[in-house]
Amino acid sequence: MKEFWTSLASFMGVFAFCQTLLQTIIPPELRFLFAKLFSRLFNWCSSYCYYDITEIDGVNTNELYNAAQLYLSAAAAHSSIGTTRLTLTRAVNSSAVTFGLSNNDRLIDIFNGVPVLWEHVVTHRQSQNFSWRPLPDEKRGFSLRIRKRETILELYLDHIMEKAYEIKRRNQDRFLYTNSRGGSLDSRSHPWESVPFKHPSTFETLAMDPLKKEEIMADLKCFAKGQCFYQKTGRAWKRGYLLYGPPGTGKSSMIAAMANYLGYDIYDLELTEVQNNSELRKLLMKTSSRSIIVIEDIDCSITLTNRKKNECSPDFRGPAVVHGGGGGGGAGDEGTNSITLSGLLNFTDGLWSCCGSEKIFVFTTNHVEKLDPALLRSGRMDMHVFMSYCSFPALKILLKNYLGFNDGDLDENVMKKLEEVIVAAEMTPADVSEVLIKNRLDRDRAVEELIGALKMKVVRNGEKRAQKVFEEEEQEKRTLDSPKEGIEFQKLENVEDNDLKKEEKDDDVEG
């Protein structure tokens, strides 16, 4: 054993001597040329291509590195091929724990049947000179190995970017924004105040017709994936939804379900706090992409200038209001401390509405007939969604949500009774939910009380209709009687006029 170590030490000494001799005799340029030729020879003989994805590209962060890190976190969480150590992280504003490759560890991914080897390469950075932006002490990057004969690189990178975006959207907490009172700015010169958005409403729990929900979900999904379509057609990447119907039919829950489905932030715009059109545009400029901009109760939040008023009216605001179709935006009304219809139309469909991308505008109202037709046309409100009273399919969803009844759990006679009275009752989902919540600990009692409430509502609706018919008949009678009264009154006036003329004529004769 002693002879082995003696021989190994002698060999290492000779190797060090030869290395020093070669470095002294052979110039650095020639050594670099030999290394380059050897690298080319190795690459020519190898059947793989290697791609490096560094964390920092010059002085900028490499987005592809961040996307690869998110993508591999999902792959590492469900795969143990070639890796024995994972790094667990939890990002800011995130409620999920993500997995990652440890330093210099490997992972094999399969894409379209092709194995792809990933290696997380971490090396210490050499001492750097003074820089206006100091770099990290460690140099991080991913090494990607793919067989030369495979042509999946471009598709694979697009797949990574798409999956990384979905993971980021799913893990990152969403926020609910509202505009500051009077247009004041916060410490970051931002006109929006925010709180974490934790609303639990989803399309699965939303009480409405399942077919209508599927239609809305398909439209939202098509919009979120339609960037190429909107660019090709020259349209701004935005969409408008109008939610209208009686109070308590789930308009706010629909907005929350849309935000949770797409992973968007919500900007709840309070128009009463906006002074003029200029401030409205500034608020729009400060909204982020992939967001839902909401104006609730648009018919009663503010009083917009009516385009149909006479031009001589003191309330008339000139061409900016008359021609309010997404054009100028009311340049001359900045000092009036009011929002014009033109400014609101420009906000939803004008040039300023293109600030950012992937935005959804949602208006809600209880009285759609009160809105100006210019606000409802396609391009501003592309999809009109009527939030109706509780239907039988919506009722079954509520019974499942609040009482845990699935299809077939309730007796057929009970379900038949509910189906017979639910449409005629015209109860909103909010009213039905209140009955179920109050008796959620006793499911049978909850169903019985619900049937009683629905029947009572049917009776009240019948009384209201009868009263309405009676009032309409009385009004019709008064309308029919009014012409006769008017004719008799006119005859009386004519008689009085004739008598007055006769008296005046007699006075003239006597004179």
Side-chain angles (χ1 to χ4, degrees):
M1 191 66 181
K2 183 177 180 180
E3 294 179 356
F4 171 76
W5 289 111
T6 303
S7 302
L8 181 62
S10 301
F11 175 77
M12 295 299 294
V14 173
F15 178 77
F17 173 76
C18 293
Q19 185 181 16
T20 305
L21 183 63
L22 290 175
Q23 289 181 354
T24 304
I25 297 176
I26 302 176
E29 294 80 2
L30 189 59
R31 294 201 305 269
F32 175 75
L33 180 60
F34 285 154
K36 187 175 180 180
L37 291 175
F38 178 77
S39 177
R40 287 186 177 181
L41 180 62
F42 175 79
N43 292 334
W44 182 76
C45 296
S46 175
S47 59
Y48 294 96
C49 284
Y50 294 84
Y51 305 92
D52 293 330
I53 304 176
T54 58
E55 181 182 13
I56 298 176
D57 181 17
V59 295
N60 299 320
T61 302
N62 189 354
E63 291 186 4
L64 184 57
Y65 174 86
N66 296 331
Q69 198 170 30
L70 285 174
Y71 173 76
L72 292 177
S73 68
H78 300 89
S79 175
S80 59
I81 302 177
T83 180
T84 58
R85 182 184 296 272
L86 297 175
T87 302
L88 304 180
T89 57
R90 183 173 178 176
V92 180
N93 296 331
S94 177
S95 57
V97 176
T98 58
F99 297 80
L101 285 177
S102 299
N103 297 349
N104 302 313
D105 206 348
R106 294 184 174 188
L107 181 141
I108 298 177
D109 185 33
I110 306 296
F111 179 73
N112 289 346
V114 179
V116 180
L117 176 65
W118 288 87
E119 182 178 0
H120 192 202
V121 181
V122 180
T123 57
H124 288 281
R125 195 182 301 274
Q126 297 180 354
S127 59
Q128 53 183 326
N129 298 327
F130 175 78
S131 174
W132 65 275
R133 182 183 178 183
L135 298 176
D137 295 334
E138 293 182 337
K139 184 178 180 181
R140 297 175 177 271
F142 288 106
S143 177
L144 177 63
R145 191 187 75 177
I146 306 176
R147 288 188 178 274
K148 288 183 178 179
R149 67 171 182 265
E150 305 293 348
T151 57
I152 63 169
L153 180 63
E154 186 174 354
L155 293 177
Y156 187 49
L157 294 180
D158 292 340
H159 173 72
I160 290 173
M161 296 297 292
E162 182 179 355
K163 289 296 182 181
Y165 167 69
E166 293 180 0
I167 295 171
K168 182 179 179 181
R169 186 179 63 184
R170 184 172 62 248
N171 293 343
Q172 188 173 9
D173 288 344
R174 290 173 293 279
F175 288 90
L176 174 63
Y177 295 87
T178 184
N179 49 310
S180 304
R181 184 176 181 84
S184 59
L185 304 177
D186 60 10
S187 58
R188 296 176 293 122
S189 300
H190 205 274
W192 295 96
E193 301 174 356
S194 64
V195 295
F197 180 71
K198 300 292 185 181
H199 202 291
S201 177
T202 63
F203 278 105
E204 184 178 355
T205 61
L206 195 64
M208 67 179 301
D209 184 15
L211 296 178
K212 190 64 176 178
K213 283 197 293 186
E214 291 179 3
E215 180 184 353
I216 297 172
M217 293 169 64
D219 188 77
L220 291 171
K221 187 176 181 179
C222 183
F223 167 79
K225 295 185 177 182
Q227 181 178 10
C228 295
F229 169 78
Y230 283 92
Q231 290 180 349
K232 182 178 67 175
T233 56
R235 292 172 59 93
W237 194 8
K238 64 179 185 64
R239 193 154 180 82
Y241 290 83
L242 175 68
L243 309 182
Y244 66 99
T249 52
K251 292 184 284 293
S252 298
S253 298
M254 167 66 79
I255 297 172
M258 294 169 65
N260 289 327
Y261 181 70
L262 295 175
Y264 287 5
D265 294 331
I266 295 181
Y267 288 85
D268 186 12
L269 179 60
E270 182 58 52
L271 288 179
T272 57
E273 299 296 339
V274 183
Q275 299 297 321
N276 48 50
N277 294 341
S278 177
E279 185 178 327
L280 188 64
R281 289 195 294 268
K282 292 177 181 178
L283 286 171
L284 180 64
M285 293 172 61
K286 292 295 184 178
T287 58
S288 62
S289 300
R290 296 187 294 274
S291 60
I292 299 177
I293 302 172
V294 180
I295 302 179
E296 294 195 275
D297 299 324
I298 182 64
D299 57 304
C300 57
S301 58
I302 59 172
T303 302
L304 294 172
T305 305
N306 192 346
R307 301 188 307 160
K308 297 180 181 179
K309 286 187 177 180
N310 192 331
E311 295 186 6
C312 299
S313 171
D315 294 333
F316 176 70
R317 296 186 183 275
V321 177
V322 176
H323 306 289
D333 57 351
E334 308 301 338
T336 60
N337 293 327
S338 62
I339 301 174
T340 63
L341 179 62
S342 174
L344 186 60
L345 297 181
N346 191 44
F347 175 82
T348 57
D349 191 33
L351 294 175
W352 291 97
S353 66
C354 303
C355 297
S357 60
E358 202 172 347
K359 292 182 179 180
I360 294 177
F361 294 86
V362 179
F363 288 1
T364 69
T365 179
N366 297 332
H367 305 282
V368 67
E369 68 277 0
K370 294 183 179 180
L371 299 183
D372 194 288
L375 195 62
L376 304 179
R377 72 165 177 83
S378 299
R380 295 186 180 116
M381 296 296 109
D382 303 287
M383 193 171 186
H384 296 193
V385 181
F386 175 57
M387 307 296 291
S388 62
Y389 292 107
C390 188
S391 61
F392 184 65
L395 177 61
K396 291 195 292 185
I397 296 175
L398 292 176
L399 291 174
K400 179 180 178 181
N401 293 342
Y402 292 100
L403 304 180
F405 284 117
N406 294 313
D407 292 339
D409 290 348
L410 274 174
D411 186 71
E412 293 184 2
N413 295 329
V414 176
M415 295 299 292
K416 188 175 181 180
K417 290 180 182 179
L418 291 172
E419 188 175 5
E420 289 175 352
V421 297
I422 186 63
V423 176
E426 293 185 352
M427 285 184 68
T428 64
D431 296 333
V432 175
S433 300
E434 183 60 30
V435 177
L436 299 180
I437 291 174
K438 184 172 60 175
N439 301 282
R440 65 184 182 275
L441 299 179
D442 190 344
R443 302 197 305 176
D444 296 334
R445 181 180 177 183
V447 174
E448 291 178 3
E449 186 167 338
L450 177 61
I451 294 175
L454 291 173
K455 290 181 178 180
M456 186 179 299
K457 192 69 166 54
V458 172
V459 174
R460 291 179 180 175
N461 291 341
E463 294 175 352
K464 289 182 179 179
R465 293 192 189 96
Q467 180 66 23
K468 185 177 180 180
V469 171
F470 175 76
E471 292 177 356
E472 290 177 353
E473 291 177 352
E474 290 295 323
Q475 180 67 26
E476 187 177 355
K477 289 180 181 179
R478 286 193 295 268
T479 304
L480 294 175
D481 294 341
S482 58
K484 297 180 181 180
E485 296 175 357
I487 294 174
E488 294 177 355
F489 181 74
Q490 185 67 32
K491 290 181 179 180
L492 182 61
E493 283 188 343
N494 293 337
V495 171
E496 292 178 352
D497 290 342
N498 292 334
D499 293 342
L500 182 60
K501 290 180 181 179
K502 184 176 181 181
E503 292 178 359
E504 291 178 353
K505 185 175 181 182
D506 293 340
D507 292 339
D508 292 338
V509 172
E510 292 178 357

